Amino acid sequence: MEVQIMFKEIIKPSSSTPQHLKNYKLSLLDQLAPSFYIPIILFYPSTPQTSSKEKSDRLKKSFSETLTLFYPLAGRMKNNYSIDCNDEGAFYAEAHITGEMSMILQDPQVEQLEKLLPFNSQEMSSNGEILGAQVNHFNCGGMAISICICHQTADASTGASFATTWARIASGEATTNIKGTIYDCTSIFPPQKTEGISWNEFAEKDLLSNSVMKRFVFDRSKVATLREKVAIGCLDLPSRVETLTAIIWEAVLESTNINNAIIAVNLRKRMIPALPELSLGSINQAAFVNCSKNENRIDYYNLVGKIHESIGMMKNDYIRKIHEGGRYFEVLKDLAENPMNVFTFSSWCRFPFYEVDFEWGKPVWVTTTLKFKNSAFFIDTKDGEGIEAWVTLPKKDMVKFQQNPNLCAYASFNPII
């Protein structure tokens, strides 16, 4: 598959950022996020009724207008405390892909997907862009739109907000109708002196070179069956994400020496009052779960209870309390100074990626290439009921992981889209 860049440029916001908004403060959660890009790729089928040129013109113009609402993304990181919202702009490119989109959809491979991105997602652009987008045109008329957004300023929820807002503006909606993209979280998550603390080890190339990333798909019927099965002995029916987290963690425990898990929890709806759904920032917090292999019972029935309890702690009073006293920062500081093997779970489920319609239809597939040491990323299948899991493990551990009986019974390994 050959990628031919047709053009690339820096696009500035359609309107200048007012002087009083030129300095955007980073919260502690932003400061602690790894300095790499979150990649998102949306695939669209051919729509002959709308020409490629018309699509390109509409995408480019609306991208500039969307940057006006998400103005920090057009700025540059000043330090680990703020963004200079100087309207320098975001990276934008269009490319022609030699071949059909079906080449990718019939056998999705991370190495091919990475070619569709505007940046190498594992390291920051040398020019310091916080955001980049690339529109990829296939021979068949299909299109893949990719977005890379700096994790220190945004999370996957922000990525979904940007994509949906971009689509709404491309479809003709006025920017004045779209509210709540910027929210100052520093009063809730006060910034700290974080020099010397970094989570980039999870994405270092030398660590990832011996790792592989595999796609496992649990369709709606298998997810429903698993939820009912795991619910035995539980007071409540576990969520789809809790269920899949338990199934995958059980397989990880049996195939690696990792006992600890970190689950990224989106805090927007857990605060009182709730934060705006379109709020910019890396507004998620780590829930910690430990499972000693010396425990008498290690299975998904036991694990789902631990997971549910850990996530359930993430409520307004608890979150505010641990940040007011600085305890959360101290825990993470200690973890950075005394690293241990952990497996990280992050869910993008229920984020409206499959609703991103630029007025030529919804995507047929949405995915990521975020390769993170010892991790699993969940994203909805198109019907919104199944879940795709992208799992990264060392090569030797992945061989055993793939042989886990529950994975073999309930997951399809990299099926055709």
Side-chain angles (χ1 to χ4, degrees):
M1 185 179 80
E2 185 180 351
V3 179
Q4 301 171 337
I5 300 296
M6 296 187 288
F7 72 84
K8 56 184 178 180
E9 62 182 286
I10 301 298
I11 293 184
K12 299 179 182 294
S14 58
S15 300
S16 299
T17 300
Q19 193 62 39
H20 70 282
L21 299 176
K22 289 290 186 180
N23 188 55
Y24 176 79
K25 297 178 182 178
L26 298 177
S27 74
L28 172 64
L29 299 180
D30 297 320
Q31 291 179 300
L32 293 173
S35 57
F36 55 69
Y37 293 100
I38 297 175
I40 304 160
I41 311 176
L42 304 97
F43 289 84
Y44 295 88
S46 174
T47 51
Q49 62 272 26
T50 307
S51 69
S52 294
K53 185 181 185 308
E54 183 181 347
K55 291 178 182 178
S56 296
D57 292 344
R58 186 184 301 178
L59 285 169
K60 189 175 176 180
K61 181 177 182 294
S62 55
F63 185 78
S64 175
E65 293 171 341
T66 307
L67 287 176
T68 300
L69 296 177
F70 290 82
Y71 56 87
L73 301 184
R76 295 294 181 267
M77 201 78 73
K78 186 188 300 184
N79 46 43
N80 201 35
Y81 297 92
S82 63
I83 296 173
D84 182 6
C85 303
N86 54 17
D87 297 333
E88 281 196 31
F91 180 86
Y92 188 88
E94 291 209 24
H96 175 74
I97 312 300
T98 55
E100 308 294 305
M101 194 165 72
S102 58
M103 294 185 306
I104 293 177
L105 301 185
Q106 288 177 2
D107 183 26
Q109 299 293 331
V110 173
E111 294 74 21
Q112 282 192 325
L113 293 169
E114 288 175 332
K115 295 178 181 179
L116 305 175
L117 300 176
F119 302 129
N120 176 349
S121 62
Q122 300 297 333
E123 56 189 40
M124 291 298 295
S125 165
S126 59
N127 295 321
E129 294 97 346
I130 292 174
L131 173 70
Q134 183 165 308
V135 179
N136 300 279
H137 300 272
F138 292 88
N139 287 344
C140 60
M143 177 186 290
I145 299 176
S146 64
I147 297 169
C148 281
I149 188 168
C150 177
H151 200 357
Q152 288 183 298
T153 60
D155 51 17
S157 178
T158 304
S161 296
F162 183 87
T164 54
T165 302
W166 185 10
R168 288 168 64 184
I169 294 173
S171 299
E173 187 167 349
T175 57
T176 52
N177 293 339
I178 304 171
K179 304 294 183 183
T181 55
I182 309 299
Y183 184 85
D184 186 352
C185 291
T186 55
S187 61
I188 308 174
F189 314 112
Q192 305 282 342
K193 293 182 178 180
T194 58
E195 288 76 7
I197 299 176
S198 172
W199 300 106
N200 287 338
E201 64 174 282
F202 291 102
E204 287 180 2
K205 288 184 178 180
D206 59 337
L207 294 173
L208 290 176
S209 62
N210 292 318
S211 297
V212 290
M213 187 177 185
K214 299 282 188 179
R215 172 174 167 259
F216 302 85
V217 179
F218 300 80
D219 65 33
R220 61 187 304 169
S221 63
K222 295 295 177 65
V223 171
T225 300
L226 276 169
R227 290 182 71 193
E228 293 292 345
K229 187 174 182 180
V230 173
I232 298 174
C234 297
L235 294 177
D236 301 307
L237 184 68
S239 70
R240 294 181 307 146
V241 170
E242 289 172 340
T243 301
L244 266 293
T245 300
I247 294 295
I248 288 177
W249 193 19
E250 182 200 35
V252 169
L253 288 168
E254 292 182 353
S255 56
T256 72
N257 62 353
I258 302 172
N259 296 336
N260 303 285
I262 290 177
I263 303 170
V265 180
N266 184 1
L267 302 182
R268 288 169 176 80
K269 292 183 179 180
R270 294 174 177 268
M271 306 305 298
I272 300 175
L275 305 184
E277 194 65 24
L278 292 179
S279 48
L280 181 77
S282 188
I283 312 174
N284 60 81
Q285 183 165 303
F288 296 88
V289 193
N290 174 267
C291 185
S292 170
K293 293 191 177 183
N294 295 324
E295 291 185 33
N296 293 327
R297 186 183 176 195
I298 300 178
D299 55 33
Y300 46 73
Y301 301 108
N302 174 254
L303 295 176
V304 76
K306 289 176 174 286
I307 293 162
H308 181 77
E309 180 181 4
S310 182
I311 294 174
M313 290 178 61
M314 298 296 157
K315 296 180 179 178
N316 178 73
D317 292 346
Y318 173 80
I319 294 166
R320 290 181 182 275
K321 182 178 180 181
I322 63 173
H323 280 279
E324 285 174 0
R327 286 195 293 132
Y328 182 70
F329 175 64
E330 291 303 320
V331 168
L332 293 188
K333 183 179 178 181
D334 181 67
L335 183 60
E337 293 172 350
N338 302 282
M340 58 184 179
N341 280 337
V342 297
F343 193 88
T344 303
F345 291 93
S346 181
S347 172
W348 298 8
C349 293
R350 301 305 184 205
F351 293 163
F353 289 115
Y354 279 100
E355 299 302 314
V356 179
D357 185 350
F358 292 92
E359 217 172 44
W360 50 74
K362 296 179 181 180
V364 294
W365 187 45
V366 179
T367 192
T368 184
T369 64
L370 187 50
K371 198 174 182 182
F372 207 64
K373 186 187 79 169
N374 297 331
S375 64
F377 289 90
F378 299 146
I379 190 166
D380 291 318
T381 53
K382 188 179 180 181
D383 63 11
E385 299 299 328
I387 290 180
E388 294 195 4
W390 284 94
V391 180
T392 301
L393 281 171
K395 295 174 183 176
K396 60 180 178 62
D397 293 334
M398 182 62 81
V399 172
K400 188 174 180 181
F401 176 83
Q402 290 183 149
Q403 297 171 351
N404 181 272
N406 285 316
L407 283 180
C408 293
Y410 295 101
S412 299
F413 299 152
N414 203 30
I416 296 173
I417 306 301

